[in-house]
Structures are given as C-alpha cells and as structure tokens.
Amino acid sequence: MCPASWASSPGVAASMRGNKGRDTSPELALRRAVHALGLRYFVSRRPLKSLRRTADLVFPKARVAVFLDGCFWHGCPVHHTVAKTNASFWAEKVDANRRRDAETNRLLQEAGWTALRVWEHEEVGQAAARVATVVRAARGADDGDHSSPPAVK
C-alpha cells in the first residue's frame, strides 16, 4: 500500500504523476535549436559523477551544464505563481529547489564547470544562441576556437 500522499486531491496526485522528468516540450525545443546551431551534447546527464544532479544538456569538453528550469518549480521571478492549495508545502518545495539550484551552480563552478540556467519561458532561439555562445567561449579557452555562433532565425 502506498503511503498517504501530500497531494491535496486525487486529481492533483494524478496530474503530478503525469509530469515528465525529461523530454518535456521546452527541453525538446531547446535541444533542437542547439543542435541546429551545430552543437552536440549529452542529454539528462550528471556533469559530475560524484554529484547527484542531472543537467538537461551537458557539454563535457567545454565543461558546460545547461539546466532548463520550469517557472513554477524553480520560482521564476517573472512567472512564478503561488499555489492556492497546500500553499505552504509548495512554497517550501520551490524554496528548496532554489537553494539546491544555487548549491549546484556553486559546486559546478568550484569543479571548473559553467552552470547555465535557462527559464522555460525564454524564447528558444535566444536561449540556444546563449548556450552556443557560452559553449564556444569555453571551448575557445581550451583549444583556440574563437568562432562566433551562427545567426539564429
């Protein structure tokens, strides 16, 4: 038998079970746009094996980890909405996510990585161009490749 759910109703529990952990529409759109710019990456991978955190896109040679953050789950300063039901639970959950994100950024930086955060509401072409700029700059520091990213349509 399953333990008692924290969900406020069976409908909410069903909705939460339906949330995907990867391959969401915003993720797929960003991956397609980054791929179209000529970059290749690993999907849903730990940048550091010793750290139980998974990045959405990982560029190991450039040491760049890209996280696509949902506005609700990560507390977007522009689009985050306060839950009407079980508000204290969700406020703590979002706050814990923000703390974990900051810790992840810090730990990756200490290990020589760049953590790049993209909000789900960002325009896909602009976000992909930002990823390409960061990755190419990181690669340029390693191998002299200072080419600029191609124009994004």
Side-chain angles (χ1 to χ4, degrees):
M1 174 117 181
C2 293
S5 173
W6 47 260
S8 58
S9 71
V12 169
S15 176
M16 295 304 297
R17 278 192 305 273
N19 287 338
K20 298 186 335 181
R22 61 173 276 182
D23 300 334
T24 63
S25 295
E27 262 186 61
L28 293 173
L30 180 63
R31 289 185 345 216
R32 279 191 297 271
V34 169
H35 190 273
L37 293 175
L39 296 176
R40 303 301 177 256
Y41 45 82
F42 289 93
V43 175
S44 192
R45 182 174 175 176
R46 288 183 186 181
L48 302 174
K49 299 293 179 201
S50 62
L51 182 62
R52 269 192 73 214
R53 310 283 163 81
T54 304
D56 297 302
L57 303 176
V58 178
F59 301 86
K61 289 183 181 175
R63 297 173 69 94
V64 174
V66 179
F67 299 88
L68 182 61
D69 293 340
C71 291
F72 176 79
W73 299 104
H74 296 268
C76 170
V78 177
H79 298 104
H80 178 70
T81 56
V82 177
K84 293 179 180 159
T85 306
N86 213 359
S88 62
F89 170 84
W90 288 111
E92 177 52 36
K93 172 70 174 159
V94 170
D95 189 48
N97 288 347
R98 286 176 172 163
R99 288 191 307 268
R100 186 194 64 231
D101 292 346
E103 179 188 40
T104 300
N105 293 349
R106 180 184 57 79
L107 292 170
L108 286 172
Q109 184 178 14
E110 288 172 0
W113 283 71
T114 299
L116 181 60
R117 299 248 169 217
V118 175
W119 287 109
E120 71 176 332
H121 69 262
E122 287 186 55
E123 196 279 315
V124 175
Q126 291 175 355
R130 191 159 55 97
V131 170
T133 298
V134 170
V135 168
R136 289 188 172 119
R139 286 181 180 161
D142 292 337
D143 62 12
D145 176 17
H146 295 285
S147 61
S148 60
V152 178
K153 296 180 182 178

